[in-house]
Amino acid sequence: MKITIVAGARPNFIKIAPIIKAIEKKQNEGAKLSYRLVHTGQHYDKNLSDTFFEELNIPHPNANLEVKSGSQSVQTAAIMIAFEEELLQNPCDLVLVVGDVNSTMACAIVAKKLNIKVTHVEAGIRSGDMTMPEEINRIVTDSITDYFFTTSTWAGENLLKYGAEPSAIHFVGNVMIDTLYQNLDRISAPSFWNKFDLEAGNYIVLTLHRPANVDEEKSLVNLLAGIDKMVGDKKIIFPIHPRTKAILGEQNLNLKNILFVEPQGYLNFMYLIKNSFAVITDSGGISEETTVLGIPCFTMRNNTERPETQNIGTNTLVGTSIENLKKVFGEFLANGPRKAGIPELWDGKASERIIAVLLTK
Ligand code: UDP
């Protein structure tokens, strides 16, 4: 079986790393399985792309479509045009897409129209929020997927509601967590650890990059000022996403606690998360990682496509207002972290399960 694996953006790279390892393991055992890795070039900054390939030992992509930035439609169209050419020149039996970025949807459509089977890893999750480009990507991708791999039984139920064949849905666990377990003994302190006088448990990690939080400069500045004041004398490490940086520019915000740093590589970032007092974020992936690491996580969104991080894990959905964050964070400071667990099958073996299923197809 020939598989083309697609990755376009930071969270994708983290998800494909263990899948490729699982394929290579099976190849070494003699399985008739080959893969071709296609980077669409959706994320192209070194900090958001190359670093992840190096740190997670992901092989150099066989092709880079170099689509770069653009509006939602410009980027999606550019990926489709380039990926069609790629598939016509390099035919395969199956295209595997992960997550919910534009590359996920664009490549799924191209593959399906060329009558190639589509596999979606992290299928079926839904925020119910159609203002999120990711939600549209999820729905469209799942509507043409042949083999669904899910992180929860809830995701499988969503797929059934949309009319998926029960036999096409495979609950395998979470590939993001495979990567976490595979690298936990390799994580390391970033170079600024001593300079900022960080100690385990004495600082907060902040990440913000969703349009709803960062696209309006005034409300972003208000939010940062509010967070800065809310945490007493705790330092806040803020690896600033290029999207967020572009909005803030070079202005001096006069913040006392928030320390701006570049987007971190995976190994430094997970070290920061694992040793933090708490995390404030609008990322979905980070709420999964904090759940497994048992770190309190406050998500600055009105909804989540990963309810298990809330029902079982450490995640609290805060909404986007600083007032509510202050309230929820105050309760956490007063009562301490709540009891949390790890969702079913988030055990580091999802990728192996995926490849075992694909080998039966
Ligand atoms: N991440 C990282 N360095 C950073 C911020 C994030 O390595 O500075 C990793 C982290 O493991 C996270 C993943 O990137 O789970 C995806 O983050 P992002 O917020 O970009 O995507 P989302 O989860 O919102 O799709």
Side-chain angles (χ1 to χ4, degrees):
M1 175 189 276
K2 274 191 187 169
I3 305 179
T4 291
I5 299 174
V6 174
R10 176 170 67 184
N12 287 177
F13 309 140
I14 301 170
K15 288 167 196 166
I16 60 157
I19 297 174
I20 290 175
K21 282 205 178 72
I23 291 178
E24 290 177 347
K25 190 170 162 209
K26 279 287 169 201
Q27 284 175 331
N28 290 337
E29 290 166 15
K32 281 215 164 71
L33 189 62
S34 66
Y35 74 91
R36 181 173 166 83
L37 177 57
V38 177
H39 189 326
T40 63
Q42 200 185 318
H43 275 174
Y44 49 88
D45 278 14
K46 186 174 185 333
N47 283 342
L48 297 189
S49 177
D50 295 2
T51 306
F52 289 83
F53 280 78
E54 285 157 23
E55 290 192 355
L56 299 177
N57 297 317
I58 304 170
H60 194 72
N62 300 93
N64 191 325
L65 310 181
E66 294 187 358
V67 297
K68 307 213 165 160
S69 310
S71 70
Q72 290 290 322
S73 299
V74 165
Q75 190 176 62
T76 303
I79 298 168
M80 287 181 69
I81 292 166
F83 190 60
E84 185 178 55
E85 194 59 40
E86 154 65 31
L87 280 186
L88 290 172
Q89 280 172 20
N90 302 284
C92 63
D93 304 307
L94 191 146
V95 166
L96 183 148
V97 295
V98 297
D100 52 20
V101 299
N102 289 344
S103 302
T104 311
M105 176 185 76
C107 295
I109 295 173
V110 171
K112 195 66 187 169
K113 290 201 167 189
L114 291 173
N115 287 324
I116 298 170
K117 298 272 187 229
V118 175
T119 289
H120 185 200
V121 173
E122 205 186 82
I125 62 174
R126 296 286 183 272
S127 66
D129 179 355
M130 291 297 279
T131 67
M132 288 176 78
E134 294 91 337
E135 183 73 352
I136 299 164
N137 294 338
R138 292 177 195 124
I139 291 171
V140 174
T141 303
D142 285 341
S143 71
I144 51 174
T145 287
D146 295 282
Y147 310 126
F148 303 93
F149 292 101
T150 61
T151 48
S152 66
T153 51
W154 176 78
E157 285 158 22
N158 287 336
L159 292 168
L160 292 174
K161 269 189 229 154
Y162 278 81
E165 271 297 314
S167 62
I169 303 170
H170 304 276
F171 171 37
V172 289
N174 192 328
V175 290
M176 195 93 166
I177 302 307
D178 292 3
T179 298
L180 180 61
Y181 282 129
Q182 286 172 14
N183 291 283
L184 263 186
D185 59 359
R186 301 176 61 226
I187 61 176
S188 61
S191 56
F192 53 75
W193 182 265
N194 290 335
K195 187 175 95 184
F196 290 160
D197 213 9
L198 302 181
E199 281 169 31
N202 81 342
Y203 64 91
I204 290 164
V205 178
L206 171 66
T207 81
L208 293 171
H209 73 287
R210 299 242 167 264
N213 286 322
V214 307
D215 278 6
E216 275 268 318
E217 184 188 333
K218 212 166 144 225
S219 53
L220 173 61
V221 169
N222 268 342
L223 182 62
L224 290 176
I227 294 175
D228 192 62
K229 281 207 196 86
M230 181 187 81
V231 296
D233 57 3
K234 286 227 173 345
K235 295 192 177 79
I236 304 172
I237 305 299
F238 184 26
I240 186 164
H241 193 280
R243 180 186 188 102
T244 314
K245 193 172 184 176
I247 306 285
L248 287 177
E250 298 300 321
Q251 59 185 307
N252 183 357
L253 299 173
N254 276 325
L255 301 169
K256 184 165 76 79
N257 296 301
I258 297 183
L259 298 162
F260 290 74
V261 296
E262 289 295 305
Q264 298 294 294
Y266 185 78
L267 299 174
N268 287 166
F269 188 72
M270 289 323 307
Y271 188 94
L272 283 171
I273 296 287
K274 183 168 187 291
N275 290 289
S276 66
F277 174 69
V279 173
I280 302 170
T281 188
D282 57 10
S283 156
I286 294 174
S287 69
E288 297 182 332
E289 292 157 340
T290 47
T291 279
V292 169
L293 294 172
I295 300 294
C297 177
F298 299 90
T299 296
M300 301 298 296
R301 287 178 50 192
N302 292 316
N303 45 59
T304 174
E305 58 291 323
R306 294 161 163 93
E308 63 279 13
T309 60
Q310 228 190 328
N311 308 334
I312 303 170
T314 57
N315 188 19
T316 305
L317 209 55
V318 176
T320 53
S321 85
I322 182 64
E323 285 70 33
N324 207 40
L325 177 63
K326 279 185 194 157
K327 181 172 161 283
V328 171
F329 200 78
E331 285 163 7
F332 158 64
L333 290 180
N335 305 329
R338 58 163 208 271
K339 256 192 142 183
I342 296 180
E344 193 185 349
L345 293 188
W346 289 21
D347 58 1
K349 300 196 172 83
S351 306
E352 288 182 12
R353 294 188 189 103
I354 291 169
I355 301 308
V357 170
L358 291 181
L359 281 170
T360 67
K361 302 296 176 193

